[in-house]
Amino acid sequence: MEIGKILYPHVSVDCVLLGFSENEFKVLLTHIDDREIEKTRKLPGSLIYKNEDLDEAAQRILTESTGVKKVALKQFKCFGSPKRTENEKDVKWLEKTTDVKADRIITVAYLSLCKLNTRLLALEKNQTVSWCSIDELPNLPFDHEQIVVEAIREVRNWVDQDNSIVFEFLPAKFTALDLRRVYEAIYNKVYDVRNFKKKMKSLEYIVPLEEKQQNVAHRAAQYFRFDRVKYNKLHSSLNY
Amino acid sequence: MEIGKILYPHVSVDCVLLGFSENEFKVLLTHIDDREIEKTRKLPGSLIYKNEDLDEAAQRILTESTGVKKVALKQFKCFGSPKRTENEKDVKWLEKTTDVKADRIITVAYLSLCKLNTRLLALEKNQTVSWCSIDELPNLPFDHEQIVVEAIREVRNWVDQDNSIVFEFLPAKFTALDLRRVYEAIYNKVYDVRNFKKKMKSLEYIVPLEEKQQNVAHRAAQYFRFDRVKYNKLHSSLNY
DNA sequence: GCAAAAGTGTTCCCTGTACACCCATGC
DNA sequence: GCATGGGTGTACAGGGAACACTTTTGC
C-alpha cells in the first residue's frame, strides 16, 4: 500500500484472480507472514483509500500483487455481514497491518481472469503469493472461502454474457484441446472432440494459425488465436 | 427508520423495486417532502444499522416503503464512487434526515420485482411513493439514475439465470398475452403469438386453468398459473 | 510397437422461426 | 359492423448431440 494516502477504514476490496493450469482453476493467494501471527494465506485485498473509486482500488490491488496492469476485472458481489469480522485473529492482523481500528468492514469482491504464464507463475518463488487449486483451498480468513466459491460460480455467468473472456485464461496461441479444457472446467462437463472442433471452425474469431506444436509425443496440434476485432464486430449492437 | 438503533454511516442500501403495467416497467420512488428542500423523489433506501446484514437492510427498506414482507430480492451491484455524494443538495438532505455527518457513502443496490396489485398501486394515494415509468424518470439524487439503468439491464440477466422470476411480475392467474408482454419488455423484442403459445404449452410448469376472462371486449382468453413445485422439480440438480 | 493426442463427417432430433386465417365478444 | 384480441398448424432451417477410426509423433 502506498504511503501518505488516507485509508477509508469501512470498505475494502478483495480480488479473486483466477488462472487455469493442469485442467483446473487456480486462485491467487497472498501470504500473511507475521511472526506473531500464525502463517496463513488470504485473497489479495485492502481497505480502499478515502478518495479512491472501487474499480480503481481493485486494479491497484491486482497490480500490487502481480504487477499486471490491464486486466478484465468484474465487480461481482458485495459482502457485508456484520459477522465477517468476528474472528479475533483476523481483526488483530488487520489492525496490525493497517494501523486502523476496524469495527465492521464491508468488502466488495472482484473477479479477474488471467493466463498463468511463466512470469505469473514465477511470483510464487518470492514466497509472497501462491497459486492455489480451488479444490484444495487452505483455511482463509474472514469470509474469503465464501468469496472464492461465489467467484467460481460467477465465471460461468460471465462467460454466458460474454464468451470472449474465456480467452483471458489462454495464451495468445492455443490448441483446440486447451480451449476445450477451459470450457470443460467452466461448465463442469465433457465436450465431444469433433463437435467442439466443428463449433470452433464455425466461429470466425477463432483463427487457425499455420504454426503447429513442436516436440510433443503425439501428432502435433494446430494453434489458434483469438481475434478480438472480429469478435467485437460480430457482437457490437445498437440494442442492449 | 426505527428509533434506538445505531446507524452505520458509511454504507447504505438502495432498492430498485420494479413492477409491470401498461406494457412497461415502473419503478417505485419515494418522495422527499421537506419544506426547506425542493420536492424531489429518490429510490427507497437508507443507511444500514450498525449490526445489520445487507440483505436484511434491503428487506427492511422494502417493507418500510411498501408493507411487502417476502419478496425475491437480489443484490446486483455496489456503487462506491467518491463522487456520488458530491452534490451538496443531496448531502444536505441526507444529513438533515439522518442526523449523521456523511463524507463518503458506499451504496449496495438491490433489485426486486413485484406484481402491481391494487394494494401496491394504492400506495400512491398516500403521496409518499409513486410508481414511475422507467422511460420518464425525473431527476434523481446521488447516482440513482444510473442505479435504475443498471437494474433494468440486470432483470434480463436474472431471467436468463432463472426463468421463474418473470412470474414475480404477474398475478396468480394470467393470460398468454400478459406473459408475452413481460417477455417483450424484458428482451426488447416482439414474439410471434403462435410460437410463444407453443412454447408455453411445452412448459409443464405453466398450467392452463379452466377459468377464462370475463367482460372483455373480445374473445375471452384462457388463464394460466405458474406451478412453482413443478418448476423446482425440473430445475433441481446436483450439479451447479 | 505403443502410448497419447490429433484430425475428420454423417445422421438425427430438437428447437426456433416464419407465416395467415377465422372466432368470440362488447360496444 | 367493427374493433380488439384469442386461438390454431405446418414447413423449413440451423444447431446440438451421438458416434469410430486412422494418423502422427516421441519414446
Side-chain angles (χ1 to χ4, degrees):
Chain A
M1 249 177 271
E2 295 170 47
I3 300 164
K5 292 193 180 175
I6 303 162
L7 285 173
Y8 186 74
H10 313 286
V11 175
S12 67
V13 164
D14 287 307
C15 294
V16 179
L17 178 58
L18 290 178
F20 187 79
S21 79
E22 292 154 12
N23 297 343
E24 56 179 17
F25 292 114
K26 311 274 170 121
V27 60
L28 185 80
L29 299 178
T30 62
H31 292 216
I32 299 175
D33 197 0
D34 184 315
R35 265 151 220 155
E36 292 177 37
I37 302 169
E38 110 191 55
K39 214 178 248 194
T40 179
R41 292 180 274 176
K42 61 181 270 290
L43 288 175
S46 94
L47 292 170
I48 62 174
Y49 289 117
K50 206 143 186 151
N51 206 37
E52 187 180 40
D53 208 341
L54 299 173
D55 291 1
E56 276 175 38
Q59 187 58 258
R60 167 176 62 81
I61 289 158
L62 270 192
T63 307
E64 281 171 6
S65 42
T66 66
V68 169
K69 288 257 164 70
K70 273 193 177 179
V71 280
L73 203 58
K74 185 193 177 80
Q75 183 200 306
F76 74 94
K77 187 164 179 190
C78 178
F79 293 79
S81 166
K83 294 183 185 157
R84 58 187 301 278
T85 47
E86 73 185 5
N87 183 327
E88 280 182 33
K89 204 177 69 180
D90 299 343
V91 173
K92 201 189 272 178
W93 165 80
L94 188 78
E95 294 183 347
K96 198 159 173 7
T97 54
T98 59
D99 227 12
V100 152
K101 183 83 192 155
D103 50 350
R104 178 179 181 176
I105 298 176
I106 272 78
T107 200
V108 184
Y110 279 76
L111 173 60
S112 185
L113 317 180
C114 67
K115 22 195 148 283
L116 286 179
N117 56 27
T118 49
R119 200 183 60 71
L120 283 176
L121 285 169
L123 290 172
E124 287 198 328
K125 290 184 191 147
N126 306 336
Q127 308 256 338
T128 59
V129 301
S130 58
W131 292 100
C132 181
S133 160
I134 55 159
D135 296 318
E136 297 163 0
L137 286 182
N139 284 330
L140 298 176
F142 305 109
D143 47 6
H144 286 192
E145 279 172 56
Q146 193 194 344
I147 294 176
V148 174
V149 169
E150 300 208 18
I152 302 293
R153 234 200 306 268
E154 188 66 24
V155 174
R156 192 184 304 189
N157 207 322
W158 198 358
V159 178
D160 286 340
Q161 288 168 54
D162 176 7
N163 288 341
S164 73
I165 59 110
V166 298
F167 301 103
E168 299 289 318
F169 286 120
L170 295 169
K173 56 186 191 192
F174 53 86
T175 66
L177 180 61
D178 292 336
L179 184 59
R180 191 153 52 87
R181 291 280 181 257
V182 171
Y183 267 95
E184 291 183 337
I186 293 173
Y187 289 99
N188 192 31
K189 65 176 178 180
V190 293
Y191 289 90
D192 177 83
V193 190
R194 279 170 292 183
N195 292 336
F196 194 85
K197 197 71 180 289
K198 202 196 316 175
K199 180 75 183 171
M200 280 179 69
K201 219 183 256 178
S202 76
L203 300 174
E204 295 179 37
Y205 56 82
I206 300 182
V207 183
L209 302 176
E210 296 295 321
E211 198 176 347
K212 291 191 175 182
Q213 286 182 317
Q214 306 239 327
N215 301 319
V216 282
H218 54 77
R219 185 168 170 178
Q222 188 177 23
Y223 280 120
F224 296 83
R225 69 179 177 83
F226 169 61
D227 189 321
R228 166 66 62 187
V229 175
K230 283 186 183 159
Y231 181 87
N232 288 345
K233 265 186 197 151
L234 281 170
H235 292 81
S236 63
S237 150
L238 293 176
N239 312 341
Y240 60 93
Chain B
M1 247 177 273
E2 296 172 45
I3 301 164
K5 292 192 180 176
I6 303 161
L7 284 173
Y8 187 75
H10 313 288
V11 175
S12 67
V13 164
D14 287 308
C15 295
V16 179
L17 177 59
L18 289 179
F20 187 78
S21 80
E22 291 153 11
N23 297 341
E24 56 180 18
F25 292 115
K26 311 274 168 116
V27 60
L28 185 81
L29 300 177
T30 62
H31 291 218
I32 300 175
D33 196 2
D34 184 317
R35 266 151 219 155
E36 292 176 38
I37 303 169
E38 112 191 53
K39 212 180 248 192
T40 180
R41 290 180 276 176
K42 61 180 269 292
L43 287 175
S46 95
L47 292 169
I48 62 175
Y49 289 115
K50 206 141 186 154
N51 206 38
E52 186 180 41
D53 208 342
L54 298 173
D55 291 1
E56 277 174 38
Q59 187 59 257
R60 168 176 62 81
I61 288 159
L62 271 192
T63 307
E64 280 171 8
S65 43
T66 66
V68 170
K69 288 258 165 70
K70 272 194 177 177
V71 279
L73 203 59
K74 185 192 176 82
Q75 183 199 305
F76 74 93
K77 187 163 177 189
C78 178
F79 293 80
S81 167
K83 293 181 186 159
R84 57 187 303 277
T85 46
E86 73 185 5
N87 183 326
E88 280 182 33
K89 204 176 70 179
D90 298 344
V91 173
K92 201 189 273 177
W93 166 81
L94 189 76
E95 294 183 348
K96 198 160 172 3
T97 54
T98 60
D99 226 13
V100 152
K101 185 84 194 154
D103 49 348
R104 179 180 181 177
I105 298 175
I106 273 77
T107 201
V108 184
Y110 279 76
L111 173 59
S112 185
L113 316 180
C114 67
K115 22 195 148 282
L116 286 180
N117 55 26
T118 48
R119 199 183 61 70
L120 283 175
L121 285 169
L123 289 171
E124 287 197 328
K125 289 185 191 146
N126 306 336
Q127 307 256 337
T128 58
V129 302
S130 58
W131 291 100
C132 181
S133 159
I134 56 160
D135 296 318
E136 296 163 1
L137 286 181
N139 283 330
L140 298 177
F142 306 108
D143 46 6
H144 286 192
E145 279 172 57
Q146 194 194 342
I147 294 176
V148 173
V149 169
E150 300 208 19
I152 301 293
R153 232 199 307 268
E154 188 65 24
V155 174
R156 193 184 304 189
N157 207 322
W158 198 359
V159 177
D160 286 341
Q161 288 170 52
D162 176 8
N163 287 342
S164 73
I165 60 109
V166 299
F167 301 102
E168 299 289 317
F169 285 120
L170 294 170
K173 56 187 190 190
F174 53 85
T175 67
L177 179 61
D178 293 335
L179 184 59
R180 189 153 52 87
R181 291 280 180 257
V182 171
Y183 267 95
E184 291 183 338
I186 292 173
Y187 289 99
N188 193 30
K189 65 176 177 181
V190 294
Y191 290 90
D192 177 83
V193 190
R194 279 170 292 186
N195 293 336
F196 193 85
K197 196 72 180 287
K198 203 196 316 176
K199 180 74 183 171
M200 279 180 70
K201 220 182 255 179
S202 77
L203 300 174
E204 296 179 39
Y205 55 83
I206 301 182
V207 182
L209 302 177
E210 296 296 320
E211 198 176 346
K212 291 191 173 180
Q213 285 181 317
Q214 306 241 328
N215 300 319
V216 282
H218 53 77
R219 186 168 169 176
Q222 187 177 24
Y223 280 120
F224 297 83
R225 70 180 176 85
F226 168 61
D227 189 321
R228 166 66 62 188
V229 175
K230 284 186 184 159
Y231 181 87
N232 287 346
K233 265 187 198 150
L234 282 169
H235 292 81
S236 63
S237 149
L238 292 176
N239 312 340
Y240 56 97

